[in-house]
Amino acid sequence: MPPSDQSRRRRRLSPADRRAQLLSVGARLFAARPYEDVLMEDIAEQADVSRALLYRHFPSKHDLFAAVYRQAADQLLADTRLDPADTLVDQLIQGMDTHLDYFIANRNAVLAANRVLAGDPVIRTIMTNELDELRARLLNVLPLADAAAHEAVSGVLKSWLVFVQVLCVDWLAHETCTRTQLRDTCVGAVLGALRPLLTTDPAPDWPR
């Protein structure tokens, strides 16, 4: 008996391509629904695979979500381009806009990572690694006079990135201001915190 079209489609994908497909379906469902409403059975059905095949790639919903979130974090870092040729304000706005675009489009996934799974060590590690990389990139584009300034600014950036994360997650849940107001609040906060630590004003055209 010849194999069904469905069987042929399944065999046609390599393990890497199948994993990518499952991540894509998972990302779409985690964005569309609250975490608790996403079922592995639904993911398998929408990916047109058996549950057994899905579980071979991802043993649990948590494993799939963590892989989706890690992929998103990597893509956000790739899309956050801190070009030294741009002003610091332009770089900050570009980075904020990139992240806000993702947060808004994937509201349920962001809320799941920051609230439902807030204490999960795997998710926390993904977030911490992304924030550390963003801090390192910002340190590389700032005019730092010496090691002491580097240490002081590094501490400010670490705290600011956590502030931005908390503020943006709260905004997703309640939307107490406009997107532009949110972005400019975050940019203004870091500029105000950095000015006392730098020998030159990092954003002379930005209001004090």
Side-chain angles (χ1 to χ4, degrees):
M1 181 177 178
S4 67
D5 289 342
Q6 186 180 57
S7 297
R8 285 197 295 271
R9 284 198 302 273
R10 288 175 182 170
R11 283 201 298 269
R12 201 172 295 140
L13 293 180
S14 68
D17 288 341
R18 179 65 71 193
R19 177 182 172 85
Q21 180 214 16
L22 295 173
L23 284 172
S24 177
V25 172
R28 186 171 69 250
L29 288 183
F30 285 125
R33 306 176 188 174
Y35 179 81
E36 57 271 18
D37 292 344
V38 177
L39 303 177
M40 291 292 271
E41 291 84 352
D42 295 338
I43 293 169
E45 181 179 353
Q46 292 207 18
D48 196 21
V49 301
S50 67
R51 281 181 288 179
L53 178 58
L54 172 60
Y55 281 110
R56 280 204 294 274
H57 284 273
F58 301 102
S60 69
K61 181 170 76 169
H62 171 273
D63 292 319
L64 176 58
F65 182 85
V68 166
Y69 209 72
R70 183 178 292 107
Q71 180 175 263
D74 291 343
Q75 189 60 53
L76 282 170
L77 286 172
D79 292 341
T80 303
R81 299 175 299 277
L82 299 181
D83 188 344
D86 293 334
T87 67
L88 177 61
V89 169
D90 286 341
Q91 294 176 70
L92 290 169
I93 287 175
Q94 189 275 332
M96 285 297 307
D97 280 340
T98 295
H99 280 72
L100 286 173
D101 285 345
Y102 175 79
F103 292 166
I104 293 168
N106 298 272
R107 177 180 177 275
N108 285 309
V110 174
L111 290 176
N114 286 274
R115 294 193 168 180
V116 179
L117 300 173
D120 183 83
V122 175
I123 302 300
R124 296 309 307 172
T125 297
I126 294 169
M127 291 182 181
T128 299
N129 289 344
E130 184 195 3
L131 296 183
D132 285 347
E133 175 61 24
L134 289 171
R135 176 165 49 122
R137 293 184 186 186
L138 285 167
L139 284 169
N140 284 335
V141 300
L142 287 169
L144 303 176
D146 50 35
H150 186 282
E151 184 176 358
V153 169
S154 179
V156 165
L157 292 176
K158 182 176 182 179
S159 298
W160 174 72
L161 287 165
V162 173
F163 162 79
V164 169
Q165 181 181 28
V166 172
L167 187 61
C168 289
V169 170
D170 186 68
W171 181 80
L172 282 178
H174 304 295
E175 202 163 336
T176 52
C177 62
T178 68
R179 172 193 166 127
T180 300
Q181 287 172 328
L182 173 68
R183 184 196 68 191
D184 289 354
T185 294
C186 294
V187 172
V190 72
L191 294 176
L194 289 174
R195 277 172 169 146
L197 301 175
L198 301 176
T199 55
T200 59
D201 191 332
D205 296 330
W206 188 271
R208 287 181 175 273

